[in-house]
Every structure is written in structure tokens, then in C-alpha cells.
Amino acid sequence: MPAERHWNAIVLAADRGPGDPVAVAAGVPAKCLTPIAGSPMVVRVVRALEGSGCIETILLCGPAEGPMRGSAELRELLAGGRVRWMEPGATPSASAALALAALPEDEPVLLTTGDHALLDPAMVRHFLEQASA
């Protein structure tokens, strides 16, 4: 059974404090902006979601506006209109609740994190096909 095309996705991409060791080691202002194979982790996640062919809207919850605006690739994704950005909440669960409240209640949602750098379109499709069954 193919995954329904009207899935929405939430990507939790906020930092939870200064000095994240991954961000510090990479010299970036937020962990999700750490480059993997030349692209920020969060951009890889968004591209995997888009490439799956199953996601209508992607709601990016974080990173904070300053670091987010510093990534040209992330700004480009946001300019396309399919990806929306919102301020994160104080905790991951608060961020998820805020993001869920911003999406239609009657449509299914996939929630993932902005540091899921190995996510690929086939994984997303497989998961959503199984979830739809």
C-alpha cells in the first residue's frame, strides 16, 4: 500500500543549550547546521523528506532564527514555500506540541529530528507505507 501523499512532517531542529560538542567541533552555531558530506544535517533531513514524494508540508521547528538565517541552503529551502519555519519551544516536547498545533488535526504527521543525517527518501517512504498500512 503506498503512503498517503497528504502527510505533513515536523523537523525538530532546536539547540538545547550553548556549547553542544558537535556544533563546537564543526564550528557552527547550531548542531543541526553541522555539515555532513557538504550539507548541513537539517538540510539533508529536509531533502530526504521532500525526495520521498510523500510529504506535503514540512514544518521546521528551530534552529533559532539567527543561526537559521546564516545557512544559505536552509534559506533557499524556506524560500521554496514547502518548508515553513517556526520558533522552537523550551523543550523538545513543547516544540513538538507547538508544531502539531500549527498543522491540520485531520492529517497524519511524521516527526523527526534535524540531526537525523542518514535519513533518506527510501527510508521515509518505507516508514510511511508501513504506518499507512
Side-chain angles (χ1 to χ4, degrees), residues 68-69 72-85:
M68 190 264 309
R69 296 282 177 211
E73 284 182 272
L74 201 45
R75 285 193 320 270
E76 183 179 315
L77 286 173
L78 290 167
R82 252 179 95 195
V83 181
R84 297 184 348 227
W85 175 83

Side-chain angles (χ1 to χ4, degrees), residues 1-132:
M1 169 187 278
E4 300 174 39
R5 285 207 42 91
H6 65 276
W7 282 78
N8 293 310
I10 296 170
V11 180
L12 298 180
D15 276 339
R16 297 297 165 208
D20 179 276
V22 175
V24 170
V28 294
K31 178 182 177 182
C32 70
L33 298 176
T34 300
I36 305 292
S39 290
M41 282 194 271
V42 68
V43 170
R44 295 173 60 85
V45 170
V46 169
R47 287 186 179 147
L49 294 169
E50 288 181 325
S52 74
C54 303
I55 303 294
E56 288 294 323
T57 299
I58 299 168
L59 186 52
L60 181 61
C61 190
E65 191 168 9
M68 190 264 309
R69 296 282 177 211
S71 169
E73 284 182 272
L74 201 45
R75 285 193 320 270
E76 183 179 315
L77 286 173
L78 290 167
R82 252 179 95 195
V83 181
R84 297 184 348 227
W85 175 83
M86 65 181 289
E87 282 280 347
T91 66
S93 58
S95 293
L98 288 169
L100 284 167
L103 293 170
E105 288 183 21
D106 60 341
E107 294 179 8
V109 176
L110 171 68
L111 188 141
T112 189
T113 59
D115 61 355
H116 194 341
L118 299 180
L119 189 65
D120 68 28
M123 293 166 76
V124 174
R125 277 191 303 276
H126 176 77
F127 181 85
L128 296 180
E129 286 169 0
Q130 296 303 305
S132 293

